[in-house]
Amino acid sequence: MQTEAFPNYTQLNPVVPAMVWWVLRGLTLGLTLLVIFLLFAAPETGLVLIWQLLIPLLPLSFAVIPGLWRNICPMAMLNQLPRQFGISREYTLSPTWRKIALYVSVILFIGFILFRHPLLNHSGAVLGAIFSAALLAALLGGLVFKGRSGWCGTFCPLAPLQKAYGHAPLMLVRNGYCESCLGCQKNCYDFNPRAAFFSDIDDSEAEWSEQRKFFIAFLPGLIVA
């Protein structure tokens, strides 16, 4: 029996019922809010949870089963709440902002790494403020733009890293948000996780593909530095 090498999410069977995903999302958001509270109220405990437990788990999840994080990420949940309640303005991201989005996400990602040693390792309040701002930005993105184009697949600093790490995952998990594709993103990672990365670097639009090739080439040096 022939197996599809690059199945999109409509060709994947749901792993668990939708209600289970929403329960897991609520628990993940609650845990995130608890960690943010600890970063302000008990920073030593909050910093240990972030740097020694939660952050090390993210790259592993991106490489092994990225769809799990895509479904339960607290930023993704807040980003999709306006759509679920029918209050999103559903604007289409302009071509200009679509191109700028990668620069925004990469700059945020680099800034987070560069400031970790001198500041973020030691200041729970600053780290808590950053996480709070990220949650708010995700919610605002969902209020304004359609689908996941307002944050998850564009401006989120984790988005380029997830594509780079997760283009050959050991396990595929079906996208649990988009019942039907809105065409809100180019080469959407949630539509086809295994094909999206290759579609990006082989895109007919040279500027689009070169941006992403540069990030992949830049990533090892950034990690070493």
Side-chain angles (χ1 to χ4, degrees):
M1 184 175 180
Q2 188 174 7
T3 303
E4 174 65 46
F6 298 101
N8 64 57
Y9 82 96
T10 63
Q11 297 170 307
L12 299 172
N13 294 321
V15 178
V16 296
M19 182 56 67
V20 175
W21 281 127
W22 281 106
V23 171
L24 292 175
R25 291 163 188 160
L27 292 174
T28 306
L29 178 60
L31 176 62
T32 303
L33 295 176
L34 174 61
V35 170
I36 290 175
F37 171 77
L38 289 175
L39 287 171
F40 287 107
E44 290 186 3
T45 302
L47 289 170
V48 168
L49 285 174
I50 289 293
W51 296 121
Q52 297 187 26
L53 178 62
L54 300 179
I55 293 296
L57 288 176
L58 286 181
L60 179 63
S61 69
F62 294 166
V64 177
I65 183 169
L68 176 63
W69 177 252
R70 300 289 292 179
N71 274 304
I72 67 172
C73 171
M75 293 183 290
M77 179 183 178
L78 290 177
N79 181 253
Q80 292 299 294
L81 280 182
R83 183 184 178 194
Q84 295 295 322
F85 287 110
I87 58 175
S88 174
R89 300 303 297 270
E90 298 286 330
Y91 290 136
T92 299
L93 198 67
S94 71
T96 300
W97 276 105
R98 189 185 67 183
K99 293 178 181 178
I100 293 175
L102 180 68
Y103 295 116
V104 174
S105 63
V106 170
I107 289 172
L108 291 175
F109 176 64
I110 292 173
F112 189 77
I113 292 176
L114 291 181
F115 284 98
R116 175 178 174 176
H117 180 69
L119 180 61
L120 302 182
N121 277 352
H122 319 290
S123 178
V126 173
L127 193 58
I130 290 174
F131 288 162
S132 300
L135 293 176
L136 179 60
L139 178 61
L140 293 176
L143 283 168
V144 177
F145 296 105
K146 68 180 180 181
R148 303 183 79 168
S149 65
W151 182 257
C152 298
T154 49
F155 302 105
C156 176
L158 297 179
L161 194 65
Q162 289 181 63
K163 270 194 177 183
Y165 276 40
H167 64 272
L170 294 179
M171 297 179 63
L172 282 178
V173 176
R174 190 181 193 272
N175 169 26
Y177 283 111
C178 305
E179 294 182 8
S180 60
C181 180
L182 301 178
C184 66
Q185 301 173 51
K186 188 175 185 179
N187 303 330
C188 176
Y189 183 65
D190 296 295
F191 181 78
N192 197 321
R194 285 180 174 158
F197 174 82
F198 301 104
S199 298
D200 273 345
I201 62 176
D202 195 41
D203 196 271
S204 58
E205 187 179 350
E207 183 180 357
W208 182 274
S209 61
E210 291 303 319
Q211 286 178 342
R212 281 137 186 89
K213 289 176 183 177
F214 178 80
F215 175 74
I216 298 302
F218 174 78
L219 189 58
L222 178 64
I223 293 172
V224 172

